[in-house]
Each structure stands twice: as C-alpha cells, then as structure tokens.
Amino acid sequence: MRIGTKMIVGYILLIVIPFLFFAIFVYAQLNEKLTTQYKLANQQNIEQLAVNLDASFLKIESLYSIYQNNSALIDYLRGNELNDRDLIYSYLKDISPAFSFASLAEVQIDNLTVYPKTQRKMLTVSGFKPYEEGRDKLTDAELGALSPKEGLWKRAKTDGTLSLVFYHKIYNDLYSNDLGILAISVRSTLVEDFVQSLRSMHPGNAVLLTDADGQTIYRSIDNEKNIEAIDDAARRVHAGEKEHVNARFILNSAPIKQLGWTVIEINPRESLFHLFRVKQWWLVGGGVLLLLLSALYYAILSSLTKRMLLLSRHMRRVGPDWLGHSYAGPVGKDEFGYLISNYNAMIARMDELVNRVQKVEILKKDAEFKMLQAQIQPHFLYNTLETMRMLARANGDSTVSEMAYSLGNLMRYSLSRKDNTTLGEEWEYLRQYLAIHEIRMPDLQIEWEKDEAATSIPCPRFILQPLVENSILHGLSKRRGGKLVSIRMAVQGEFVIIIVADNGTGISDDRMKLLQQKLRDNNGYDEGGISETEGIGLSNVLQRVKAYFGPLSSLAIESKLGEGTVCTLKLYLEERDHAKLDDH
C-alpha cells in the first residue's frame, strides 16, 4: 500500500470514523435523555391535573352529607304529616337554602335534584322531581350499586358533551330505608377545562378519556388521521401500559379515580424534537465541513508525498547493477530534500564500498578454501577412537577400551547438530560421562533413580551434565575418602523433579549468597570467589530451562559446609510445547 493511501486510511480510521461514532453516540444519548425527561415531565403534569380533577369530584361528592343530615329534608321525604303551610315554611326556611348552597359551594354544579321515593307533595317545586323520572336514568345494576357509603358518577345523556351526574341514595336516620335519590348535575366545562389545560400545555397533542372497560368516552384531537393510533394507545393503557414511546408518539396516562376513567395524552415526537432537528442540521453541516477539510487534507498530502513517491519509484529500481544512478528528481530545501541529498551521497558511497567488498570477498574465499584443507573432520576422530578401543580390547585392556567407547559416545552426542533431545537421552549421556569419571576416580560411587515416565519428555541438550560436573569438580575433588553422587529423576504433578546431590565439601554461606544472586540476576561477578565454570554453567542451564519449559521452572541449590550440596531442577511440563528451538 502506498504511503499516501496509508495516510488517507489512517486519517479515516483515526479521525473520521471516531468522529462519526462519537457524533452518533452523543445524538443517541441526547435523544434518550430528552425523551426520558419529556416523559417524566408529562407524566407528573398529567398526574397532577388528574389529582386536581379528582379533588373537584370529591368535593362535589362531599355535598351529599349536607342533604343526608338535613332534618327538614328527611322529614319531608319520610312523609311526616305536615300541613301545607308548615311544609312550605320548612321548604323555604331549611330545604331551599340547602339546594342553593350547592351552586355556591361549587360553581361547576349545574343543578341539584331530589327524587322522593314515596312523597308526592311539592314535586313541581324547584329541586324535586318524581322518583320514576330519576329511576329511569339508572339501570338496575347501577341502582343496586348505590349504598349509604357509595355514590355513582354517570355521564348524562346529552348531545356529546361531558355533562356528569352524581347519584346517591338518601336514607332515614337509621339508614335502614332509602327515602329517595339525590342527583347532582355537573357542568361539562369541568372536564372540558381539564382537557383543554392539557392541550394548551402541548399544542398539537391529542387527549382522550376511556372508561374502566377501555372504551373511549371522549376525544380531543386536531388530526382525524391519527384516530387509529389513538385507539391503539387506549388499548395499550387498558392493558396496563402506563407509559409508551414509539417512532411516532409519546404516550402518558393517569387515572381519574372518582370516575373510574383514564386520561391519555398523546404527543407527536416531531413537536418535541423540533429544536433537536435544528441541531441535527448542525451535525449535517459538521459532516459536510469534515468532507471539505478532508479534501483539503488530501490536496496538501498529495503535494507533500509527490517527491516521496518519486523517490520510492527510483529506489525500487536500485540494485547491485544500478547503484551508480542517483535520484535526479526535484529535491527541495525542506527536511525531505535533506533526506534526498543524503540518499544520493549514500548511493555513491555504497557503489564505492561494493567494489571494495568484492575484492575482499575474493580474498576471503581463498582463505576459507585453504582453511578447509587444514580442517580435521569429526569422523576422523570417531574412527581414531574406535581404532584405539579395538586395539585396547585386543590387548586385553578393558578399562582403556571402555573409556574410549564412552568418550566416543560423548563426542557423537556433543557434536550432534540436533537442537533438542529427550530426558532419556540426557540420562544416557550422563551415564557415559560418569563412566569415565568412575574409571578416573576409583572411590566414586553413583546412585541412580529414574522414573520411566519422564524419559520421553523433550528437553534442551546438556541440562544435566553441568549439575554433575559442578558436584565432581567443586565438591568431590577436594574430599578425601568415599565420594558419592546421587541422581534422581521423577514426575510429580505438573513438574519433573531432578535432584543431584553429593557428599562433597559444600559451599560457604558467603559463596552461596553470591551464587544464588548470580542465578537470580544472570550476570557475571568479578569478585567474591565465584569461578567461571561454577556460575556460568548453572546460570546457562537455568536460562535455557526457563526459555524451554516456561518461567515456572527453577533451579535451587542447598549446601552445608563440610556436608555436601543438593541441586534441585524443576521442569514445568505445561508450557514446554510453546518453546522455540532458538531458545535452547
């Protein structure tokens, strides 16, 4: 990919796409936040207005107690025998003022009527009507629902207005018999004003009232095309969904408890997000500006990368046979021009050096050829040792024969080009190595303990021999008397444990601290008495084991002065498949 293309792709990936994702994220968060706030504000508003309307209905219902406790009205409804003069006096003094109080206490009351059940006098007087007329306005179920503690709100049969009537039975003093029906008529403006107050707060909304069965009682809507959506909203509320938001509308509802109705307000989303759409245009403008800036960036980028592209085309043609041709395009005086000038100088210098290197290579080849002529091949050494072994056996010297045989095996293993081996092969190599020392040191005893399950495990080469070599050279060589080396190998869980112990002279505390520090840091020490073979061999084993088996592998050394030394090598088996050959 050309560098100009990479810079454009990088600009898109690092600037344009994150900018767009951020803009979309901010838009979504702002959209959700505004919608939630709008829903909560609308819900609080509609619930407050519904509570106020309920309070008005409750106030109207409370007027019933005035007429239930009016003794003159009760005496009249019971039919107590009064002459006409006393009856008219009681009506004018106690009953008529009570009827007039209703409209004074609540301006929304249109009329108050009592339907006497048995009394037939004064039915033509204002405030009284025949019982049958009131009975016809109620069904049997509605009449049965009236009790001393419960009244009934019912919509009046009018020309589509929201006129309501509150019905309640009037009882005798003991509430044992009902004496008539009280009907309080409420003006339609009470509910209509409530609906208009909702509509005035959010112009363009729709308001509807539903009864307990989910049937629509009243609608207030500007656009008749949305009737189906409004009816669907009513069904959602009746199903128990208090708040609802879809792609077109935001719905809020609240109960009118005294009537058993539900008021539903539906607001179109476009009315809410009119101002937000203006901000959307700002986002669109920002996108257009981003495109213009991107085009300007591309133009500037092209002017800057033109010389770079020409130089790269020239460099593609550069080869061993084309070094004498320097870049001949525009150079310039900026930093890139400085690079071009130095590139031309470098090409001239390289051409000069190539000619010189060619002469040096010819001389080097000649020297290597002469050196190869003088080189002794390993096979010559193998054959010589085998000849010596056969001669020793022919002369009856089995010790020399066995030593030559072990030494030949050691040379073959050491000069092998394999990068890795197995613990079984390492074990056998160690036997050959110690066989030579047993011949050299007659008082040396070897104890072997091997777990066959560990022999097939792959491992780097030469990880056991340095441990035994340290025991012999630094521990047993200074000991007089019997010398013992114990070598144990076993599989324990996720580890292979290899222990090399000797009964040598041991290591002093000061030297042990320096040695352990060297194993931890993997660096050399010029002071403190740590020899080259003692420190480097163990550190080399530890580093290769960690590279091959993983960092959980370890090498621990314990020693007591005059008693001996124990080396414990732990190989972690779980990570050996991840080792690379060049880690050996």
Side-chain angles (χ1 to χ4, degrees):
M1 186 183 294
R2 297 169 56 184
I3 188 169
T5 306
K6 290 182 179 179
M7 295 183 71
I8 293 173
V9 172
Y11 175 73
I12 293 175
L13 293 178
L14 299 178
I15 303 298
V16 177
I17 293 179
F19 171 80
L20 293 178
F21 273 108
F22 178 74
I24 293 172
F25 174 77
V26 171
Y27 174 79
Q29 293 294 320
L30 184 59
N31 186 359
E32 181 180 358
K33 182 177 181 180
L34 288 177
T35 303
T36 302
Q37 292 179 349
Y38 187 75
K39 284 193 304 180
L40 292 177
N42 282 6
Q43 189 64 31
Q44 292 175 357
N45 175 63
I46 194 172
E47 288 178 354
Q48 184 61 46
L49 291 177
V51 168
N52 294 339
L53 184 62
D54 270 334
S56 298
F57 286 124
L58 186 62
K59 182 179 179 180
I60 294 173
E61 291 179 9
S62 65
L63 295 177
Y64 158 76
S65 61
I66 296 176
Y67 306 103
Q68 177 62 53
N69 297 320
N70 191 312
S71 57
L73 178 61
I74 299 302
D75 289 340
Y76 162 72
L77 295 178
R78 280 190 305 194
N80 291 346
E81 294 299 331
L82 294 173
N83 53 47
D84 292 342
R85 185 175 64 83
D86 292 338
L87 187 59
I88 292 173
Y89 175 77
S90 178
Y91 172 77
L92 295 176
K93 180 177 180 297
D94 296 318
I95 299 175
S96 180
F99 288 172
S100 301
F101 176 77
S103 58
L104 295 176
E106 180 56 59
V107 296
Q108 296 293 346
I109 294 179
D110 184 41
N111 188 23
L112 188 144
T113 305
V114 176
Y115 300 94
K117 188 172 183 180
T118 58
Q119 182 61 263
R120 292 293 181 266
K121 294 181 179 180
M122 294 198 308
L123 295 182
T124 58
V125 179
S126 175
F128 294 102
K129 289 186 179 180
Y131 182 79
E132 292 74 13
E133 184 176 339
R135 175 65 180 79
D136 292 340
K137 297 180 179 179
L138 299 171
T139 64
D140 293 338
E142 293 171 345
L143 186 63
L146 298 177
S147 65
K149 294 183 179 181
E150 296 291 336
L152 173 68
W153 283 98
K154 186 174 182 180
R155 186 177 178 181
K157 296 180 180 179
T158 57
D159 53 353
T161 60
L162 288 175
S163 298
L164 300 173
V165 181
F166 177 70
Y167 293 96
H168 206 299
K169 287 183 179 181
I170 299 179
Y171 293 85
N172 58 8
D173 295 338
L174 300 178
Y175 291 90
S176 58
N177 294 316
D178 58 297
L179 304 178
I181 299 174
L182 172 67
I184 304 176
S185 299
V186 180
R187 303 178 190 273
S188 62
T189 55
L190 179 61
V191 179
E192 290 175 351
D193 290 346
F194 164 75
V195 173
Q196 291 303 318
S197 63
L198 281 177
R199 299 213 60 192
S200 62
M201 295 186 68
H202 304 103
N205 65 351
V207 178
L208 64 112
L209 300 173
T210 60
D211 58 15
D213 297 327
Q215 300 297 321
T216 301
I217 300 173
Y218 178 80
R219 288 192 189 94
S220 179
I221 184 173
D222 296 332
N223 190 356
E224 296 294 333
K225 296 180 180 180
N226 294 330
I227 290 180
E228 294 184 1
I230 292 176
D231 292 338
D232 177 68
R235 288 190 294 270
R236 290 179 182 274
V237 173
H238 185 63
E241 192 171 340
K242 186 176 181 181
E243 299 180 4
H244 176 69
V245 177
N246 57 28
R248 296 179 57 194
F249 301 104
I250 298 176
L251 168 69
N252 294 91
S253 62
I256 304 176
K257 298 179 181 179
Q258 299 303 121
L259 302 180
W261 294 358
T262 300
V263 57
I264 303 171
E265 181 186 12
I266 301 176
N267 290 282
R269 292 180 68 94
E270 53 266 18
S271 62
L272 168 64
F273 297 108
H274 174 71
L275 180 60
F276 195 72
R277 285 205 308 271
V278 175
K279 296 182 179 180
Q280 288 177 334
W281 283 111
W282 279 98
L283 293 177
V284 173
V288 173
L289 180 60
L290 180 63
L291 293 177
L292 294 176
L293 293 177
S294 300
L296 180 61
Y297 173 80
Y298 179 77
I300 298 174
L301 179 65
S302 299
S303 65
L304 292 176
T305 58
K306 183 177 180 180
R307 287 174 296 161
M308 187 182 299
L309 295 175
L310 293 175
L311 179 61
S312 65
R313 292 171 187 171
H314 169 80
M315 294 178 68
R316 291 190 187 100
R317 298 193 295 268
V318 173
D321 301 330
W322 213 71
L323 287 176
H325 299 79
S326 60
Y327 176 73
V331 177
K333 297 181 179 180
D334 54 3
E335 291 82 357
F336 196 72
Y338 175 77
L339 293 176
I340 293 175
S341 300
N342 281 272
Y343 167 77
N344 288 334
M346 181 186 65
I347 289 294
R349 179 61 175 166
M350 286 177 61
D351 186 50
E352 178 185 351
L353 292 176
V354 165
N355 293 329
R356 184 180 301 175
V357 167
Q358 288 177 348
K359 296 179 182 179
V360 173
E361 284 294 327
I362 294 174
L363 297 175
K364 181 180 178 182
K365 292 291 183 182
D366 183 63
E368 288 179 350
F369 177 74
K370 292 179 180 179
M371 182 179 63
L372 289 174
Q373 288 178 335
Q375 185 178 19
I376 300 176
Q377 298 184 355
H379 292 288
F380 175 76
L381 296 177
Y382 300 155
N383 295 333
T384 302
L385 286 173
E386 184 64 19
T387 302
M388 292 172 61
R389 186 176 76 86
M390 297 303 295
L391 290 174
R393 290 187 62 181
N395 295 328
D397 193 344
S398 60
T399 301
V400 175
S401 175
E402 292 300 323
M403 181 176 289
Y405 176 74
S406 298
L407 181 58
N409 289 336
L410 290 178
M411 290 189 65
R412 286 185 178 90
Y413 187 82
S414 300
L415 297 175
S416 174
R417 295 185 178 181
K418 293 194 302 181
D419 291 313
N420 61 343
T421 182
T422 63
L423 288 176
E425 293 179 354
E426 276 285 289
W427 190 269
E428 292 303 320
Y429 169 75
L430 195 58
R431 281 184 177 275
Q432 299 293 335
Y433 176 78
L434 287 175
I436 297 176
H437 282 286
E438 284 180 306
I439 296 173
R440 188 175 63 87
M441 304 169 65
D443 56 350
L444 176 63
Q445 295 182 3
I446 311 296
E447 292 183 355
W448 302 90
E449 185 177 332
K450 178 176 64 173
D451 188 345
E452 293 296 335
T455 57
S456 61
I457 296 175
C459 68
R461 301 202 313 154
F462 306 112
I463 61 173
L464 301 184
Q465 184 265 345
L467 307 182
V468 177
E469 182 181 6
N470 275 331
S471 295
I472 293 175
L473 295 181
H474 303 289
L476 300 177
S477 62
K478 301 177 183 179
R479 176 181 175 83
R480 294 184 178 182
K483 301 176 176 60
L484 174 64
V485 176
S486 176
I487 306 170
R488 297 180 179 87
M489 178 172 65
V491 178
Q492 296 182 6
E494 298 177 344
F495 291 89
V496 174
I497 308 298
I498 301 172
I499 300 176
V500 177
D502 64 73
N503 62 344
T505 56
I507 305 173
S508 65
D509 292 339
D510 294 338
R511 287 165 56 83
M512 177 62 69
K513 291 180 181 179
L514 292 175
L515 182 59
Q516 291 177 344
Q517 179 69 28
K518 185 169 187 177
L519 290 177
R520 284 195 299 269
D521 299 340
N522 190 27
N523 55 12
Y525 282 85
D526 295 331
E527 299 178 357
I530 300 297
S531 66
E532 212 176 299
T533 57
E534 182 179 3
I536 294 178
L538 297 180
S539 177
N540 179 271
V541 169
L542 177 59
Q543 294 303 316
R544 288 190 297 124
V545 162
K546 285 191 173 184
Y548 191 90
F549 290 95
L552 295 182
S553 302
S554 62
L555 175 60
I557 301 177
E558 298 179 0
S559 181
K560 289 186 178 180
L561 193 63
E563 297 184 7
T565 304
V566 178
C567 292
T568 303
L569 181 63
K570 297 178 67 176
L571 309 179
Y572 184 58
L573 300 180
E574 295 299 319
E575 295 189 10
R576 67 178 186 275
D577 294 336
H578 303 293
K580 297 181 180 179
L581 293 180
D582 56 2
D583 291 334
H584 302 171

